[in-house]
Amino acid sequence: MAEALTMDKIVALCKRRGFVFAASEIYGGIANTYDYGHYGVLLKRNVVDAWWRAMLEERDDVVALDSAIIQHPRTWEASGHLSGFTDPLIDCKACKLRFRADHLDTSACGRKPSKLAGDAPECELTEAREFNLMFETQIGPVKDAGSTVYLRPETAQGIFLNFKNVLQFSRSKPPFGIAQVGKSFRNEITPGNFIFRTLEFEQMEMEFFVPPSEATAWYEHWLRARFDWYTQYGIRADKLRLRPHDPDELSHYSSATSDVEYEFPIGWSELEGVANRGDFDLTQHAEHSGEKLEYFDQQTKERYVPHVIEPAAGVGRSVLAFLCDAYDEEDLGQDTRTVLRLHPAIAPVKVAVLPLVRKDGQPEVAREIHAAMRRRRIVAEYDEAGSIGKRYRRHDEIGTPYGVTIDHQTLEDRTVTVRDRDTLAQERLPVDGLAEELERRLRAAWRSPKA
Ligand code: GAP
C-alpha cells in the first residue's frame, strides 16, 4: 500500500524533474512565487491548450481576447476591487510576521519551537485590518496620486471593458462568450501551499453573456461542463466535487457561485469558480465610463444588459491538481517506482526514444524515429544518457506515456520495444509506421489506472 500523498512529495518531484522551482532561490526565495522549468512549461501549455480547445475551438459562440494587465485605474473603482478586494490581516509586533485573520488557526508563528500565531508568550498580535490585495505601481517618472495604476487581480475586467468592441467586430448575439488566458496578481498572505496560491498566477477565464432569462440555465450548464472537463483529462471523478457558496461567502458581484473543488493533499479546496455575475459588471462600467454596455436585439427590438456566467480557472492550480491526481508510487516487489499517470494529452513529453547503447548504429535509428515523431508533431525526447533502467524511471516521473527502445535486434529486423508507462507492458513493433501507431494510441480514450 503506497503512503499517503503529501504536498512535500509533489514539491520534491517538481524540483527533481524540473517542473517547478522556488523563484529567486539563490537569494533565499521570495514568498509564494515560483518559476516553471522545462517540463512545467510543457505541462502548463498542454493544460491551457486543452482549455482553449474546450472553451473556444469546439464551440461557435466564444471568441478570444488578450487584454492589457494594466488598465485605467477607474476600472477597479467600477469593479469594486478598490474598495472591496481585501483580506483581514493581523500583524505580530514581536516576530514581524503578517497573518490572515481568518486563517489564524492554521498559521505558524515565526518563533521556534514552532507554535501557532498568537500561542507563544511573546506574541503581540494587532487588531485585524482590511488590506487591499491589488499590487500598485506608477505610470511615468513622477510618483503621485494621479499616476497610480494596478496590476490586474483578475483577467475578467479586461473582458468587460472590451464588451462593446467584441460585440461590434464579431457580430455576436447573446448567448456568446469572450475567453482569455493571462497573468493576474494578488498580494496574498498564504501559509505556503506551493503553487496552490501564489502572488502572480495565470487565469483561464470566460465571460459568457446571456439574456437575463437564460442565466440560471447557463450557470447550470457551465458548472457541469467545467466539472466534466477535468474528468475528460483524466482527473478521477471521486476526487472532484461541486460546492455551492453559502450566501455569506458570495463575492460582491455574484448572485450564485459554485466551486469545482479537488481533494488536494491539503484537503478539499477550490480548483475553479463558476459564478453568476448578473449584470453587475456591465452596469458598473457603463455608469463609470458613460458608455452604453448593452445589447439591442434587431429582431425583437429589445434592449437589455446581458447577464454574465463566468467559469474562472487557475492554470497553476489546475497543474497542481493534474500532478497530484497523477502521482503514484507503485510497489514492484524489490523496489518502488514513482510515476506520473498523466492523461497523454496533458503529459509534457509523449514518447521517449531510447537507444540501448550509444553505438552499433542504434543512435542513428533512434534519431530517425525521433524525426518521424517530430514530423507528426508528437513531443518526443531523444535520451541516450545513463542506464536504460534509469532512463525509464526518469520518464516515469515526467509522465511520458511511451518509451521506445532501440536495441541490437532493431538493426536486424527494424523492430523496437515499446514500453507502456501505465501497464509496464513491452511489445515489439516495426519502426516503419511507428509514429502513426503511437499517434493513434496517444489519441485513444484514457482512464487513470488509479481510478
Ligand atoms: N474572475 C473571478 C475570479 O478571479 P477567483 O475565484 O478569485 O475568481 C478564479 O479566481 C481562479 O483563479 C481560482 O479558482 C483559482 O484557480 C485561481 N486563483 C485565484 N487566486 C489565485 C492565487 N492567488 N494563486 C493561484 N491561483 C489563483
Side-chain angles (χ1 to χ4, degrees):
M1 185 64 183
E3 285 172 41
L5 178 61
T6 60
M7 199 68 103
D8 285 347
K9 287 189 180 181
I10 297 290
V11 175
L13 177 99
C14 281
K15 177 157 190 198
R16 188 165 74 243
R17 294 304 179 193
F19 282 91
V20 180
F21 309 115
S24 306
E25 205 173 7
I26 61 168
Y27 289 106
I30 174 163
N32 302 313
T33 307
Y34 292 89
D35 296 333
Y36 285 80
H38 179 70
Y39 295 117
V41 172
L42 298 185
L43 175 59
K44 201 151 67 100
R45 201 176 64 168
N46 292 341
V47 170
V48 172
D49 280 354
W51 187 87
W52 278 120
R53 193 176 166 82
M55 304 302 275
L56 184 117
E57 290 164 23
E58 290 177 348
R59 303 186 64 95
D60 301 322
D61 52 3
V62 177
V63 295
L65 181 76
D66 188 352
S67 69
I69 284 172
I70 296 177
Q71 298 283 357
H72 194 289
R74 292 193 60 206
T75 303
W76 312 110
E77 264 172 57
S79 68
H81 284 86
L82 259 183
S83 57
F85 195 52
T86 56
D87 272 345
L89 293 188
I90 285 181
D91 289 301
C92 176
K93 288 188 181 163
C95 72
K96 311 285 181 227
L97 285 186
R98 182 169 276 180
F99 311 100
R100 266 179 66 166
D102 49 343
H103 291 173
L104 261 194
D105 54 348
T106 52
S107 303
C109 163
R111 303 196 167 250
K112 300 271 179 258
S114 67
K115 287 202 169 0
L116 286 180
D119 279 0
E122 305 87 339
C123 290
E124 223 188 307
L125 300 185
T126 62
E127 290 293 309
R129 286 179 302 125
E130 289 301 323
F131 175 82
N132 197 293
L133 297 183
M134 282 197 294
F135 279 102
E136 250 180 61
T137 186
Q138 268 75 39
I139 289 186
V142 182
K143 191 173 173 180
D144 60 26
S147 64
T148 301
V149 289
Y150 302 90
L151 304 189
R152 67 180 175 201
E154 60 173 14
T155 61
Q157 295 304 322
I159 296 180
F160 299 126
L161 301 191
N162 281 285
F163 171 77
K164 213 171 150 182
N165 290 335
V166 173
L167 203 58
Q168 274 164 3
F169 109 85
S170 66
R171 291 163 293 136
S172 303
K173 173 180 184 334
F176 78 97
I178 306 177
Q180 144 151 272
V181 175
K183 277 218 166 164
S184 293
F185 304 81
R186 297 183 189 175
N187 200 352
E188 307 251 23
I189 305 287
T190 91
N193 285 320
F194 195 38
I195 54 173
F196 180 81
R197 196 181 295 284
T198 47
L199 302 188
E200 55 181 272
F201 52 98
E202 270 171 274
Q203 289 188 303
M204 308 182 280
E205 297 200 287
M206 199 269 286
E207 308 301 318
F208 201 67
F209 299 91
V210 302
S213 60
E214 297 177 19
T216 305
W218 279 110
Y219 172 67
E220 297 297 333
H221 166 88
W222 282 111
L223 271 183
R224 183 41 53 196
R226 293 307 304 149
F227 185 98
D228 291 347
W229 182 80
Y230 292 101
T231 59
Q232 186 191 340
Y233 285 98
I235 300 226
R236 293 162 293 166
D238 61 348
K239 290 279 174 183
L240 288 168
R241 71 181 185 194
L242 289 174
R243 189 185 67 80
H245 281 202
D246 291 332
D248 62 346
E249 267 183 284
L250 290 175
S251 307
H252 57 279
Y253 51 73
S254 168
S255 59
T257 298
S258 289
D259 289 340
V260 181
E261 292 192 335
Y262 178 74
E263 194 177 13
F264 289 97
I266 52 171
W268 287 99
S269 308
E270 174 185 345
L271 183 53
E272 165 161 359
V274 180
N276 180 348
R277 296 180 77 120
D279 62 0
F280 176 84
D281 303 274
L282 290 182
T283 306
Q284 285 291 107
H285 287 302
E287 271 173 23
H288 282 71
S289 67
E291 286 281 346
K292 276 196 180 135
L293 299 178
E294 53 191 25
Y295 178 73
F296 179 65
D297 191 324
Q298 301 283 356
Q299 276 159 0
T300 62
K301 306 292 175 217
E302 195 194 352
R303 187 178 292 281
Y304 64 89
V305 179
H307 283 205
V308 171
I309 308 302
E310 175 200 63
V315 179
R317 217 174 273 186
S318 301
V319 162
L320 184 60
F322 281 112
L323 286 170
C324 291
D325 214 65
Y327 187 98
D328 203 5
E329 287 172 357
E330 188 179 6
D331 185 359
L332 298 177
Q334 325 86 315
D335 193 2
T336 305
R337 91 171 161 135
T338 302
V339 52
L340 283 187
R341 301 188 187 279
L342 289 165
H343 188 292
I346 297 293
V349 176
K350 317 297 180 192
V351 179
V353 183
L354 314 165
L356 196 59
V357 292
R358 282 190 234 181
K359 54 183 186 179
D360 302 339
Q362 291 181 22
E364 288 75 8
V365 184
R367 288 283 180 203
E368 176 196 331
I369 293 171
H370 190 225
M373 301 288 167
R374 279 208 173 136
R375 279 197 297 278
R376 298 206 157 243
R377 306 200 66 166
I378 299 171
V379 179
E381 200 176 280
Y382 175 91
D383 187 356
E384 60 174 27
S387 75
I388 191 72
K390 283 207 173 121
R391 282 181 273 165
Y392 282 151
R393 289 303 160 85
R394 195 172 97 76
H395 281 282
D396 282 344
E397 292 201 353
I398 293 163
T400 308
Y402 294 105
V404 172
T405 308
I406 294 89
D407 56 19
H408 64 277
Q409 197 185 324
T410 310
L411 280 302
E412 287 163 16
D413 63 5
R414 279 187 67 81
T415 64
V416 288
T417 303
V418 174
R419 174 185 181 268
D420 182 303
R421 174 199 71 196
D422 292 327
T423 61
L424 290 180
Q426 303 211 10
E427 108 190 78
R428 285 227 59 110
L429 291 178
V431 170
D432 302 308
L434 182 66
E436 291 88 326
E437 174 58 19
L438 290 186
E439 186 176 43
R440 188 188 64 72
R441 293 186 188 193
L442 287 163
R443 285 174 189 265
W446 182 89
R447 190 163 174 264
S448 172
K450 290 170 74 186

